[in-house]
């Protein structure tokens, strides 16, 4: 298990999560990366026909680009570009400011979540409900930017609001799925997501990763918190 160390006192208190046994175990040194590459590469090959169908539906819907590339922050805050199937209108980012008052996580919340977001296209609503919009991130896993299991990577605007304590959730490589993805997804407030991510960082193992991967399937099928 990793150790959590408290630094400072009072309002200046921050915490770091120190490397634990996972980093020196067979799974930690190369097993997790090997599992990521093998499973992600296999999934990309097997799901390639589905990728073509989704791409055709997106183009048919509004003629816009198929993929959406966005700057995200990963392990220790390092930035990278994450890929998704585009589920929103091409003007989505420009319209976001006008919708902040309807943020499910509060107007000044770190994360932005909104049910019935008017920026989402018809095809996009289906992609989000089924989580198919996330599939291109398998390529990020192959590249090494992401892992199959790990804290979800925040967008730059969210990361800029993080406290030192909240940044500890990014002490490991971000993932496609995580603890809070199988426990309610967007229905869990940001503070709860941070605590679940910190729990994962401190206790991660092969068995925990396999458990999260398996439980992600019913979580996706149920559609709970997917918006």
């Amino acid at each position: 298990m990793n150790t959590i160390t408290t630094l400072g006192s009072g309002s200046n208190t921050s915490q770091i999560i120190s490397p634990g046994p996972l980093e020196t175990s067979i799974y930690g040194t190369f097993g997790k990366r090997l599992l990521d590459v093998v499973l992600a590469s296999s999934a990309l090959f097997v799901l390639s026909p589905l990728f073509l169908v989704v791409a055709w539906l997106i183009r048919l819907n509004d003629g816009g680009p198929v993929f959406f590339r966005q700057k995200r922050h990963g392990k220790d805050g390092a930035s990278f570009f994450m890929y998704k199937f585009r589920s929103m209108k091409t003007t989505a980012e420009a319209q976001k400011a006008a919708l902040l008052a309807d943020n499910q996580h509060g107007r000044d919340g770190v994360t932005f979540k909104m049910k019935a977001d008017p920026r989402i296209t018809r095809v996009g609503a289906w992609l989000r409900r089924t989580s198919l919009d996330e599939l291109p991130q398998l390529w990020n896993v192959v590249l090494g930017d992401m892992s199959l299991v790990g804290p979800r990577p925040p967008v730059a605007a969210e990361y800029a609001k993080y406290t030192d304590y909240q940044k500890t959730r990014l002490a490991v490589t971000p993932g496609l799925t995580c603890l809070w993805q199988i426990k309610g997804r967007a229905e869990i407030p940001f503070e709860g997501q941070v605590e679940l991510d910190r729990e994962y960082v401190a206790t991660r193992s092969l068995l925990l990763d396999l458990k999260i991967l398996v439980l992600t399937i019913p979580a996706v099928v149920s559609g709970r918190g997917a918006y």
Side-chain angles (χ1 to χ4, degrees):
M1 180 180 293
N2 292 10
T3 57
I4 302 178
T5 305
T6 301
L7 302 176
S9 60
S11 60
N12 293 320
T13 296
S14 61
Q15 292 183 317
I16 60 173
I17 302 179
S18 303
L22 180 72
E23 283 71 17
T24 57
S25 69
I26 294 177
Y27 182 61
T29 52
F30 71 88
K32 184 174 173 68
R33 178 61 183 149
L34 179 62
L35 182 68
D36 283 342
V37 172
V38 170
L39 292 185
S41 299
S42 299
L44 283 170
F45 176 75
V46 172
L47 296 174
S48 56
L50 178 60
F51 272 58
L52 292 175
V53 172
V54 171
W56 176 73
L57 290 173
I58 293 173
R59 292 287 291 179
L60 184 66
N61 184 72
D62 62 8
V66 170
F67 296 104
F68 176 68
R69 191 183 77 153
Q70 187 177 48
K71 184 178 179 180
R72 297 283 182 126
H73 288 271
K75 183 178 179 181
D76 299 325
S79 61
F80 68 97
F81 284 103
M82 190 184 82
Y83 298 92
K84 301 179 71 172
F85 279 124
R86 184 175 60 85
S87 61
M88 289 188 169
K89 299 174 182 177
T90 54
T91 56
E93 289 301 309
Q95 296 175 335
K96 183 176 179 179
L99 300 171
L100 291 178
D102 297 314
N103 186 5
Q104 301 284 135
H105 292 177
R107 182 181 180 88
D108 298 318
V110 174
T111 51
F112 181 85
K113 295 294 180 181
M114 179 182 176
K115 290 182 178 179
D117 191 325
R119 301 173 300 165
I120 298 176
T121 65
R122 286 182 300 170
V123 171
W126 172 68
L127 291 176
R128 288 187 168 218
R129 187 169 59 252
T130 57
S131 294
L132 291 176
D133 61 318
E134 309 286 0
L135 287 181
Q137 287 158 51
L138 289 167
W139 180 240
N140 285 114
V141 174
V142 172
L143 292 176
D145 298 323
M146 296 176 63
S147 176
L148 291 174
V149 180
R152 293 294 294 160
V155 299
E158 293 173 356
Y159 183 73
K161 297 179 182 179
Y162 276 19
T163 62
D164 288 342
Y165 179 85
Q166 292 164 348
K167 287 179 181 178
T168 61
R169 66 179 290 270
L170 296 176
V172 298
T173 303
L176 271 171
T177 185
C178 59
L179 277 175
W180 57 265
Q181 288 276 1
I182 64 174
K183 292 177 179 287
R185 302 168 81 173
E187 292 182 357
I188 298 177
F190 177 66
E191 293 76 14
Q193 294 175 5
V194 170
E195 295 309 315
L196 286 170
D197 285 334
R198 283 172 55 82
E199 177 184 335
Y200 173 77
V201 171
T203 62
R204 65 198 192 282
S205 66
L206 172 60
L207 289 179
L208 181 57
D209 280 0
L210 293 177
K211 178 182 177 181
I212 292 174
L213 286 172
V214 170
L215 292 179
T216 294
I217 298 173
V220 169
V221 172
S222 72
R224 179 187 172 194
Y227 52 84

